[in-house]
Amino acid sequence: MRRRLMAAYGRIAGEIRQRIERGELRPGDRVPSTREITARWRVAMATASRVLAALRDEGLVRAVPGVGTVVAERAVDPGGADPTGAPDPGGGPDPRGPDPSADGRVHPDRPEPTADRLVRVAVEIADREGLAGLSMRRVAARLGVATMSLYRHVPGKEDLVLRMIDSVLAARPLPDVAGGWRERLEAAARLQWDLFRAHPWLAGALSMTRPQLLPGAIAHTEWMLRALDGHGLTAEEMLHAAVTVFGFVRGTAVNLETEAEQRQHTGLTPDEWLAGQSAVLTAITGSGRFPLFTRTTGTEVDMALGTLFEFGLARLLDGIGEWISDRPALDGQRTT
């Protein structure tokens, strides 16, 4: 079913993309609405919505209130260049420094990249600039190929991100850890934390409410469930415990990308930024309204994300340990 959905919306998005690149649809022209797509191509409304979402991700269209979805003023041509001649903000020089992988131009004699190479380059871009800096045009520019060539491997940005997630998770298999459930859960949490630090966009890309059913992600869940199996917990309780641990790690890690963006924009570390707020902090603590807050902020407290992760993980595992100790082990076995 998923493959058919990908094929359907990828094919429809490709047809509209070609009309834009051939000049049949010019900047400002309306593209087919979701209702028009469902009627013309006989697909579900969800598929039609994904078509327009894919085109928006590529920067080819934009939504105009009261009008609908129209061709963007700077829709790209098949070579990945802006037809107006203006530089493409998604394919220009990297603000964090030169990128040795490509010069941003299309090279007709360059072989088409493999799907693995496409994903690797996309991960590199996201690691440096976040998912906001990732686009199909940007990836094509780094590879020195036409944007259209990427669609032979992936229907659009949404599916590219799924492949990126699966790739980075699969690249770091969970270690074979000796010990009981706590050692195994701790090893999984630390590996996830390391992955989130290496790829700051990853925590935000993973969903708790609509989990991506990817082999790399499911492997982490399976590993944590095995750690909890045999301790008197029901299947639901095991899953809740595993997801709770993952949710804590992810919830702390979502701040990594925001902090990286803030540091890039302001040039300040968290400590430097906080020092600049000293006048505001003094006014708050001097008011007498918040005595406990005043007492804690008057001491040297390390609030770095790594410190918060260590403290929170230890307390979370302590709580799970107390909970498990109150349950009868299956078959009289329990590994502490």
Side-chain angles (χ1 to χ4, degrees), residues 80-130:
D82 188 323
T84 66
D88 175 8
D94 191 327
R96 301 190 187 184
D99 175 22
S101 63
D103 57 16
R105 296 196 300 268
V106 174
H107 299 268
D109 58 343
R110 182 166 294 179
E112 181 178 325
T114 64
D116 287 344
R117 174 62 176 155
L118 189 161
V119 171
R120 284 198 301 273
V121 169
V123 169
E124 292 169 4
I125 293 172
D127 287 349
R128 292 164 64 88
E129 302 176 47

Side-chain angles (χ1 to χ4, degrees), residues 88-248:
D88 175 8
D94 191 327
R96 301 190 187 184
D99 175 22
S101 63
D103 57 16
R105 296 196 300 268
V106 174
H107 299 268
D109 58 343
R110 182 166 294 179
E112 181 178 325
T114 64
D116 287 344
R117 174 62 176 155
L118 189 161
V119 171
R120 284 198 301 273
V121 169
V123 169
E124 292 169 4
I125 293 172
D127 287 349
R128 292 164 64 88
E129 302 176 47
L131 289 182
L134 177 68
S135 69
M136 299 296 280
R137 284 183 291 169
R138 191 64 179 270
V139 175
R142 292 289 181 89
L143 292 168
V145 299
T147 307
M148 283 291 292
S149 68
L150 304 186
Y151 295 98
R152 300 188 183 99
H153 301 291
V154 61
K157 180 179 175 180
E158 182 178 349
D159 288 275
L160 175 59
V161 172
L162 290 178
R163 296 193 185 196
M164 292 162 58
I165 293 171
D166 199 39
S167 173
V168 298
L169 291 177
R172 292 281 302 276
L174 287 153
D176 185 13
V177 176
W181 66 265
R182 181 169 183 137
E183 289 77 11
R184 292 173 66 81
L185 286 188
E186 183 174 354
R190 291 190 181 282
L191 176 58
Q192 291 161 7
W193 179 248
D194 288 344
L195 284 168
F196 290 141
R197 288 195 302 169
H199 309 283
W201 54 271
L202 180 60
L206 287 165
S207 174
M208 294 285 293
T209 56
R210 301 185 182 189
Q212 294 90 342
L213 301 180
L214 302 168
I218 295 175
H220 279 252
T221 304
E222 178 74 13
W223 204 89
M224 297 170 80
L225 289 174
R226 285 204 303 269
L228 293 162
D229 192 24
H231 294 280
L233 307 180
T234 66
E236 181 181 49
E237 288 172 335
M238 288 195 303
L239 184 60
H240 283 180
V243 172
T244 296
V245 173
F246 167 75
F248 161 72

Side-chain angles (χ1 to χ4, degrees), residues 56-98:
R56 282 195 299 271
D57 286 341
E58 298 166 38
L60 294 176
V61 302
R62 64 186 182 91
V64 178
V67 176
T69 302
V70 304
V71 178
E73 285 76 6
R74 302 176 64 190
V76 298
D77 66 13
D82 188 323
T84 66
D88 175 8
D94 191 327
R96 301 190 187 184

